[in-house]
Amino acid sequence: MDSEYTVIGALLKMERIKQNKGQKEVCYGICVPSYLSKIEHGTVNPDNEIIKQLYERLGISYEIDKKVLSEYREGISRYFHLLHYHMDTEEVYAELLEADSQLLYSAFAVDWLIIKGIEGEPVLPQIGRLKEAMSAEQKAYYLWLCFKEYTDSAQRVLDYEKACTIINNSFAMIQLCRAYFYHGDYPAIHRMENRTVAAALEEGNTYYLAEYYFFNGSAYACLDMEEMMIANYNRSICLLQNTGWKERMPDLYYNMGASYIALKKYKLGLEYLLKAQELQKESEFFTIHKLAIAYIRQGKMEEGRDCLRRIKKLFLDEKAYTELEYLMYEEACMECEKGFLDNPEYMKLLDKLIKVIEKDSHFGFLYFYKEIIVKAYERQRKYKKALEFEQKISSIVIKMNTK
């Protein structure tokens, strides 16, 4: 079937359901309900006059002007080109937004909704209702938009591997690296190096070349593998520092600082965290949190408490925070207390923190707390739990070292 007619039918069905109208009500005097059903499922190529009447019955019009559609096609192509090179999409998006209502009822409806999703609009349910009308490429972008909707990171990896083979450029490869990262499959990120670097170089895509080294460095940072972390992050920094993409630099410095804190190299950790803070436009919870931890673990309690007061103010000002952020804040507060490792409440807090990290974040967060978690288990004579936790951590480290 012609993909355009598949879109026409899917949009017709979506709008009919949205208006809470039955098939008979919409098609009365135009066609029989069974034929409308075929149109909605994209199994027939209906006459343009029938389509026009059905859309008019719903109070909308389907854009068919070839000149207008050609302009839309050009604008959408420009948008995705800019996206693939991580260039500013604001101007072209604004131009397309002016034709929002026309685009939503055109052959480019799916592409337009995907673009709106990329720009942060809450359109996932709307796009989901058009899945049957999507091309393979459109399904790939839809899956990337659904990143946070997955509850199974292994399934996300499988879907992203398929999506990457369809789009097959450095942009797609970085989306796959991201899925590997949150699944904790760090060796898979390393295995992507030749493929991703070759694609980025062939495309002349500086940003996604730098982004690959960022992810690879982050994989090493999660396991405190200092030498490899620095090598990859320095490559990323060299590629980005003289470009318009300096907004990525605070993330690099933050990750380096957090890794040095886990390695107990507090001076270096503070140096990089303060660099990150200086470059950030707004106060960032994770940067302030790691600064607090660095000060507290050096015994500089007043500086640490000052950072915790800043976090509390941040929570109050924004009036929203994740469960993970709040538990991390609570844990840092308890580290300020004398004898906290012997406190049963601290152990309860750590158990909650472990569960939330495993559910909502990636392995690097868990690895950051590995030493203090084991210490707390041992101090409270929960030796079996300490051993199980160490074995869990070690199994991933071994995979990392035997890529």
Side-chain angles (χ1 to χ4, degrees), residues 339-363:
F340 69 94
L341 287 170
D342 299 311
N343 186 342
E345 293 303 313
Y346 181 67
M347 196 68 257
K348 288 179 185 177
L349 176 63
L350 285 182
D351 285 337
K352 279 186 190 176
L353 183 58
I354 291 168
K355 287 177 183 176
V356 172
I357 288 173
E358 290 177 337
K359 178 172 69 78
D360 296 335
S361 196
H362 60 82
F363 177 76

PDB file of all heavy atoms in Angstrom, residues 339-363:
ATOM      1  N   GLY A 339      29.533   8.498  63.798  1.00  0.00           N
ATOM      2  CA  GLY A 339      29.134   7.102  63.953  1.00  0.00           C
ATOM      3  C   GLY A 339      28.016   6.669  63.022  1.00  0.00           C
ATOM      4  O   GLY A 339      27.288   5.718  63.304  1.00  0.00           O
ATOM      5  N   PHE A 340      27.866   7.352  61.866  1.00  0.00           N
ATOM      6  CA  PHE A 340      26.733   7.052  60.962  1.00  0.00           C
ATOM      7  C   PHE A 340      26.770   5.623  60.432  1.00  0.00           C
ATOM      8  O   PHE A 340      25.735   5.022  60.161  1.00  0.00           O
ATOM      9  CB  PHE A 340      26.702   8.055  59.804  1.00  0.00           C
ATOM     10  CG  PHE A 340      27.827   7.921  58.816  1.00  0.00           C
ATOM     11  CD1 PHE A 340      27.668   7.166  57.660  1.00  0.00           C
ATOM     12  CD2 PHE A 340      29.041   8.555  59.030  1.00  0.00           C
ATOM     13  CE1 PHE A 340      28.697   7.044  56.743  1.00  0.00           C
ATOM     14  CE2 PHE A 340      30.074   8.440  58.118  1.00  0.00           C
ATOM     15  CZ  PHE A 340      29.915   7.684  56.971  1.00  0.00           C
ATOM     16  N   LEU A 341      27.969   5.051  60.302  1.00  0.00           N
ATOM     17  CA  LEU A 341      28.075   3.693  59.760  1.00  0.00           C
ATOM     18  C   LEU A 341      27.436   2.653  60.682  1.00  0.00           C
ATOM     19  O   LEU A 341      27.036   1.576  60.224  1.00  0.00           O
ATOM     20  CB  LEU A 341      29.541   3.325  59.518  1.00  0.00           C
ATOM     21  CG  LEU A 341      30.225   4.001  58.318  1.00  0.00           C
ATOM     22  CD1 LEU A 341      31.712   3.752  58.337  1.00  0.00           C
ATOM     23  CD2 LEU A 341      29.623   3.510  57.009  1.00  0.00           C
ATOM     24  N   ASP A 342      27.330   2.969  61.958  1.00  0.00           N
ATOM     25  CA  ASP A 342      26.735   2.034  62.922  1.00  0.00           C
ATOM     26  C   ASP A 342      25.234   2.245  63.092  1.00  0.00           C
ATOM     27  O   ASP A 342      24.574   1.497  63.813  1.00  0.00           O
ATOM     28  CB  ASP A 342      27.413   2.198  64.295  1.00  0.00           C
ATOM     29  CG  ASP A 342      28.905   1.890  64.225  1.00  0.00           C
ATOM     30  OD1 ASP A 342      29.249   0.833  63.663  1.00  0.00           O
ATOM     31  OD2 ASP A 342      29.709   2.706  64.704  1.00  0.00           O
ATOM     32  N   ASN A 343      24.703   3.241  62.446  1.00  0.00           N
ATOM     33  CA  ASN A 343      23.292   3.593  62.611  1.00  0.00           C
ATOM     34  C   ASN A 343      22.417   2.709  61.715  1.00  0.00           C
ATOM     35  O   ASN A 343      22.548   2.726  60.489  1.00  0.00           O
ATOM     36  CB  ASN A 343      23.095   5.074  62.236  1.00  0.00           C
ATOM     37  CG  ASN A 343      21.693   5.570  62.525  1.00  0.00           C
ATOM     38  OD1 ASN A 343      20.755   4.799  62.699  1.00  0.00           O
ATOM     39  ND2 ASN A 343      21.542   6.886  62.570  1.00  0.00           N
ATOM     40  N   PRO A 344      21.487   1.923  62.296  1.00  0.00           N
ATOM     41  CA  PRO A 344      20.607   1.064  61.495  1.00  0.00           C
ATOM     42  C   PRO A 344      19.785   1.859  60.469  1.00  0.00           C
ATOM     43  O   PRO A 344      19.450   1.341  59.398  1.00  0.00           O
ATOM     44  CB  PRO A 344      19.686   0.416  62.534  1.00  0.00           C
ATOM     45  CG  PRO A 344      20.450   0.490  63.809  1.00  0.00           C
ATOM     46  CD  PRO A 344      21.244   1.752  63.734  1.00  0.00           C
ATOM     47  N   GLU A 345      19.464   3.122  60.808  1.00  0.00           N
ATOM     48  CA  GLU A 345      18.698   3.952  59.875  1.00  0.00           C
ATOM     49  C   GLU A 345      19.513   4.260  58.616  1.00  0.00           C
ATOM     50  O   GLU A 345      18.956   4.395  57.525  1.00  0.00           O
ATOM     51  CB  GLU A 345      18.275   5.262  60.552  1.00  0.00           C
ATOM     52  CG  GLU A 345      17.265   5.078  61.668  1.00  0.00           C
ATOM     53  CD  GLU A 345      15.994   4.357  61.187  1.00  0.00           C
ATOM     54  OE1 GLU A 345      15.463   4.750  60.124  1.00  0.00           O
ATOM     55  OE2 GLU A 345      15.562   3.413  61.858  1.00  0.00           O
ATOM     56  N   TYR A 346      20.828   4.359  58.807  1.00  0.00           N
ATOM     57  CA  TYR A 346      21.691   4.601  57.648  1.00  0.00           C
ATOM     58  C   TYR A 346      21.663   3.392  56.719  1.00  0.00           C
ATOM     59  O   TYR A 346      21.608   3.537  55.496  1.00  0.00           O
ATOM     60  CB  TYR A 346      23.122   4.888  58.098  1.00  0.00           C
ATOM     61  CG  TYR A 346      24.070   5.183  56.949  1.00  0.00           C
ATOM     62  CD1 TYR A 346      23.932   6.332  56.183  1.00  0.00           C
ATOM     63  CD2 TYR A 346      25.095   4.291  56.625  1.00  0.00           C
ATOM     64  CE1 TYR A 346      24.786   6.601  55.123  1.00  0.00           C
ATOM     65  CE2 TYR A 346      25.962   4.551  55.569  1.00  0.00           C
ATOM     66  CZ  TYR A 346      25.804   5.707  54.816  1.00  0.00           C
ATOM     67  OH  TYR A 346      26.645   5.962  53.767  1.00  0.00           O
ATOM     68  N   MET A 347      21.641   2.195  57.310  1.00  0.00           N
ATOM     69  CA  MET A 347      21.600   0.981  56.497  1.00  0.00           C
ATOM     70  C   MET A 347      20.287   0.885  55.725  1.00  0.00           C
ATOM     71  O   MET A 347      20.257   0.500  54.558  1.00  0.00           O
ATOM     72  CB  MET A 347      21.763  -0.250  57.412  1.00  0.00           C
ATOM     73  CG  MET A 347      22.112  -1.532  56.668  1.00  0.00           C
ATOM     74  SD  MET A 347      23.774  -1.462  55.966  1.00  0.00           S
ATOM     75  CE  MET A 347      23.416  -1.144  54.239  1.00  0.00           C
ATOM     76  N   LYS A 348      19.199   1.264  56.389  1.00  0.00           N
ATOM     77  CA  LYS A 348      17.891   1.268  55.713  1.00  0.00           C
ATOM     78  C   LYS A 348      17.895   2.243  54.536  1.00  0.00           C
ATOM     79  O   LYS A 348      17.353   1.958  53.472  1.00  0.00           O
ATOM     80  CB  LYS A 348      16.788   1.659  56.706  1.00  0.00           C
ATOM     81  CG  LYS A 348      16.452   0.596  57.738  1.00  0.00           C
ATOM     82  CD  LYS A 348      15.353   1.102  58.680  1.00  0.00           C
ATOM     83  CE  LYS A 348      15.082   0.116  59.789  1.00  0.00           C
ATOM     84  NZ  LYS A 348      14.074   0.632  60.747  1.00  0.00           N
ATOM     85  N   LEU A 349      18.516   3.398  54.756  1.00  0.00           N
ATOM     86  CA  LEU A 349      18.607   4.406  53.712  1.00  0.00           C
ATOM     87  C   LEU A 349      19.414   3.880  52.524  1.00  0.00           C
ATOM     88  O   LEU A 349      19.026   4.055  51.359  1.00  0.00           O
ATOM     89  CB  LEU A 349      19.253   5.679  54.271  1.00  0.00           C
ATOM     90  CG  LEU A 349      19.518   6.818  53.266  1.00  0.00           C
ATOM     91  CD1 LEU A 349      18.214   7.334  52.677  1.00  0.00           C
ATOM     92  CD2 LEU A 349      20.272   7.950  53.939  1.00  0.00           C
ATOM     93  N   LEU A 350      20.535   3.214  52.821  1.00  0.00           N
ATOM     94  CA  LEU A 350      21.354   2.660  51.747  1.00  0.00           C
ATOM     95  C   LEU A 350      20.601   1.598  50.948  1.00  0.00           C
ATOM     96  O   LEU A 350      20.712   1.541  49.719  1.00  0.00           O
ATOM     97  CB  LEU A 350      22.646   2.058  52.308  1.00  0.00           C
ATOM     98  CG  LEU A 350      23.742   3.030  52.742  1.00  0.00           C
ATOM     99  CD1 LEU A 350      24.962   2.253  53.223  1.00  0.00           C
ATOM    100  CD2 LEU A 350      24.141   3.968  51.608  1.00  0.00           C
ATOM    101  N   ASP A 351      19.843   0.756  51.641  1.00  0.00           N
ATOM    102  CA  ASP A 351      19.055  -0.277  50.944  1.00  0.00           C
ATOM    103  C   ASP A 351      18.056   0.367  49.971  1.00  0.00           C
ATOM    104  O   ASP A 351      17.865  -0.100  48.851  1.00  0.00           O
ATOM    105  CB  ASP A 351      18.320  -1.168  51.953  1.00  0.00           C
ATOM    106  CG  ASP A 351      19.253  -2.145  52.656  1.00  0.00           C
ATOM    107  OD1 ASP A 351      20.320  -2.445  52.092  1.00  0.00           O
ATOM    108  OD2 ASP A 351      18.912  -2.600  53.766  1.00  0.00           O
ATOM    109  N   LYS A 352      17.425   1.465  50.426  1.00  0.00           N
ATOM    110  CA  LYS A 352      16.495   2.202  49.549  1.00  0.00           C
ATOM    111  C   LYS A 352      17.241   2.787  48.355  1.00  0.00           C
ATOM    112  O   LYS A 352      16.777   2.731  47.218  1.00  0.00           O
ATOM    113  CB  LYS A 352      15.830   3.354  50.325  1.00  0.00           C
ATOM    114  CG  LYS A 352      14.672   2.965  51.196  1.00  0.00           C
ATOM    115  CD  LYS A 352      14.063   4.258  51.759  1.00  0.00           C
ATOM    116  CE  LYS A 352      13.052   3.943  52.842  1.00  0.00           C
ATOM    117  NZ  LYS A 352      12.523   5.188  53.447  1.00  0.00           N
ATOM    118  N   LEU A 353      18.401   3.364  48.647  1.00  0.00           N
ATOM    119  CA  LEU A 353      19.203   4.005  47.609  1.00  0.00           C
ATOM    120  C   LEU A 353      19.622   2.993  46.542  1.00  0.00           C
ATOM    121  O   LEU A 353      19.532   3.264  45.334  1.00  0.00           O
ATOM    122  CB  LEU A 353      20.436   4.659  48.238  1.00  0.00           C
ATOM    123  CG  LEU A 353      21.372   5.452  47.312  1.00  0.00           C
ATOM    124  CD1 LEU A 353      20.642   6.580  46.609  1.00  0.00           C
ATOM    125  CD2 LEU A 353      22.554   5.995  48.101  1.00  0.00           C
ATOM    126  N   ILE A 354      20.050   1.825  46.969  1.00  0.00           N
ATOM    127  CA  ILE A 354      20.462   0.775  46.032  1.00  0.00           C
ATOM    128  C   ILE A 354      19.309   0.408  45.102  1.00  0.00           C
ATOM    129  O   ILE A 354      19.471   0.319  43.879  1.00  0.00           O
ATOM    130  CB  ILE A 354      20.953  -0.485  46.793  1.00  0.00           C
ATOM    131  CG1 ILE A 354      22.276  -0.196  47.499  1.00  0.00           C
ATOM    132  CG2 ILE A 354      21.112  -1.669  45.842  1.00  0.00           C
ATOM    133  CD1 ILE A 354      22.692  -1.254  48.501  1.00  0.00           C
ATOM    134  N   LYS A 355      18.124   0.203  45.670  1.00  0.00           N
ATOM    135  CA  LYS A 355      16.952  -0.187  44.872  1.00  0.00           C
ATOM    136  C   LYS A 355      16.583   0.885  43.851  1.00  0.00           C
ATOM    137  O   LYS A 355      16.267   0.583  42.702  1.00  0.00           O
ATOM    138  CB  LYS A 355      15.760  -0.462  45.794  1.00  0.00           C
ATOM    139  CG  LYS A 355      15.880  -1.762  46.567  1.00  0.00           C
ATOM    140  CD  LYS A 355      14.702  -1.944  47.519  1.00  0.00           C
ATOM    141  CE  LYS A 355      14.871  -3.214  48.350  1.00  0.00           C
ATOM    142  NZ  LYS A 355      13.783  -3.358  49.354  1.00  0.00           N
ATOM    143  N   VAL A 356      16.617   2.142  44.279  1.00  0.00           N
ATOM    144  CA  VAL A 356      16.237   3.239  43.376  1.00  0.00           C
ATOM    145  C   VAL A 356      17.277   3.402  42.259  1.00  0.00           C
ATOM    146  O   VAL A 356      16.922   3.633  41.101  1.00  0.00           O
ATOM    147  CB  VAL A 356      16.045   4.561  44.154  1.00  0.00           C
ATOM    148  CG1 VAL A 356      15.857   5.726  43.199  1.00  0.00           C
ATOM    149  CG2 VAL A 356      14.845   4.441  45.075  1.00  0.00           C
ATOM    150  N   ILE A 357      18.559   3.274  42.593  1.00  0.00           N
ATOM    151  CA  ILE A 357      19.605   3.357  41.564  1.00  0.00           C
ATOM    152  C   ILE A 357      19.411   2.247  40.544  1.00  0.00           C
ATOM    153  O   ILE A 357      19.457   2.484  39.330  1.00  0.00           O
ATOM    154  CB  ILE A 357      21.014   3.273  42.193  1.00  0.00           C
ATOM    155  CG1 ILE A 357      21.347   4.558  42.958  1.00  0.00           C
ATOM    156  CG2 ILE A 357      22.066   3.025  41.102  1.00  0.00           C
ATOM    157  CD1 ILE A 357      22.633   4.498  43.748  1.00  0.00           C
ATOM    158  N   GLU A 358      19.171   1.034  41.014  1.00  0.00           N
ATOM    159  CA  GLU A 358      19.003  -0.096  40.101  1.00  0.00           C
ATOM    160  C   GLU A 358      17.761   0.068  39.226  1.00  0.00           C
ATOM    161  O   GLU A 358      17.735  -0.385  38.083  1.00  0.00           O
ATOM    162  CB  GLU A 358      18.919  -1.398  40.891  1.00  0.00           C
ATOM    163  CG  GLU A 358      20.246  -1.784  41.530  1.00  0.00           C
ATOM    164  CD  GLU A 358      20.180  -3.040  42.379  1.00  0.00           C
ATOM    165  OE1 GLU A 358      19.069  -3.390  42.845  1.00  0.00           O
ATOM    166  OE2 GLU A 358      21.236  -3.669  42.573  1.00  0.00           O
ATOM    167  N   LYS A 359      16.749   0.741  39.749  1.00  0.00           N
ATOM    168  CA  LYS A 359      15.498   0.924  39.002  1.00  0.00           C
ATOM    169  C   LYS A 359      15.574   2.107  38.047  1.00  0.00           C
ATOM    170  O   LYS A 359      15.105   2.018  36.910  1.00  0.00           O
ATOM    171  CB  LYS A 359      14.334   1.123  39.982  1.00  0.00           C
ATOM    172  CG  LYS A 359      12.974   1.364  39.316  1.00  0.00           C
ATOM    173  CD  LYS A 359      11.850   1.355  40.314  1.00  0.00           C
ATOM    174  CE  LYS A 359      11.882   2.546  41.245  1.00  0.00           C
ATOM    175  NZ  LYS A 359      11.346   3.778  40.590  1.00  0.00           N
ATOM    176  N   ASP A 360      16.156   3.212  38.492  1.00  0.00           N
ATOM    177  CA  ASP A 360      16.030   4.474  37.750  1.00  0.00           C
ATOM    178  C   ASP A 360      17.309   5.012  37.121  1.00  0.00           C
ATOM    179  O   ASP A 360      17.251   5.963  36.345  1.00  0.00           O
ATOM    180  CB  ASP A 360      15.474   5.576  38.673  1.00  0.00           C
ATOM    181  CG  ASP A 360      14.067   5.269  39.148  1.00  0.00           C
ATOM    182  OD1 ASP A 360      13.370   4.524  38.442  1.00  0.00           O
ATOM    183  OD2 ASP A 360      13.676   5.771  40.213  1.00  0.00           O
ATOM    184  N   SER A 361      18.461   4.439  37.459  1.00  0.00           N
ATOM    185  CA  SER A 361      19.694   5.040  36.945  1.00  0.00           C
ATOM    186  C   SER A 361      20.637   3.973  36.411  1.00  0.00           C
ATOM    187  O   SER A 361      20.220   2.871  36.077  1.00  0.00           O
ATOM    188  CB  SER A 361      20.358   5.877  38.036  1.00  0.00           C
ATOM    189  OG  SER A 361      21.308   6.744  37.474  1.00  0.00           O
ATOM    190  N   HIS A 362      21.923   4.315  36.309  1.00  0.00           N
ATOM    191  CA  HIS A 362      22.881   3.379  35.731  1.00  0.00           C
ATOM    192  C   HIS A 362      23.907   2.942  36.772  1.00  0.00           C
ATOM    193  O   HIS A 362      24.016   3.501  37.867  1.00  0.00           O
ATOM    194  CB  HIS A 362      23.571   3.998  34.509  1.00  0.00           C
ATOM    195  CG  HIS A 362      24.339   5.249  34.803  1.00  0.00           C
ATOM    196  ND1 HIS A 362      25.608   5.237  35.319  1.00  0.00           N
ATOM    197  CD2 HIS A 362      24.010   6.554  34.655  1.00  0.00           C
ATOM    198  CE1 HIS A 362      26.046   6.467  35.466  1.00  0.00           C
ATOM    199  NE2 HIS A 362      25.090   7.294  35.084  1.00  0.00           N
ATOM    200  N   PHE A 363      24.686   1.942  36.391  1.00  0.00           N
ATOM    201  CA  PHE A 363      25.596   1.277  37.314  1.00  0.00           C
ATOM    202  C   PHE A 363      26.619   2.216  37.938  1.00  0.00           C
ATOM    203  O   PHE A 363      27.063   1.999  39.073  1.00  0.00           O
ATOM    204  CB  PHE A 363      26.309   0.140  36.579  1.00  0.00           C
ATOM    205  CG  PHE A 363      27.325  -0.569  37.414  1.00  0.00           C
ATOM    206  CD1 PHE A 363      26.934  -1.471  38.396  1.00  0.00           C
ATOM    207  CD2 PHE A 363      28.682  -0.327  37.238  1.00  0.00           C
ATOM    208  CE1 PHE A 363      27.877  -2.116  39.182  1.00  0.00           C
ATOM    209  CE2 PHE A 363      29.628  -0.973  38.019  1.00  0.00           C
ATOM    210  CZ  PHE A 363      29.228  -1.875  38.987  1.00  0.00           C
TER     211      PHE A 363
END
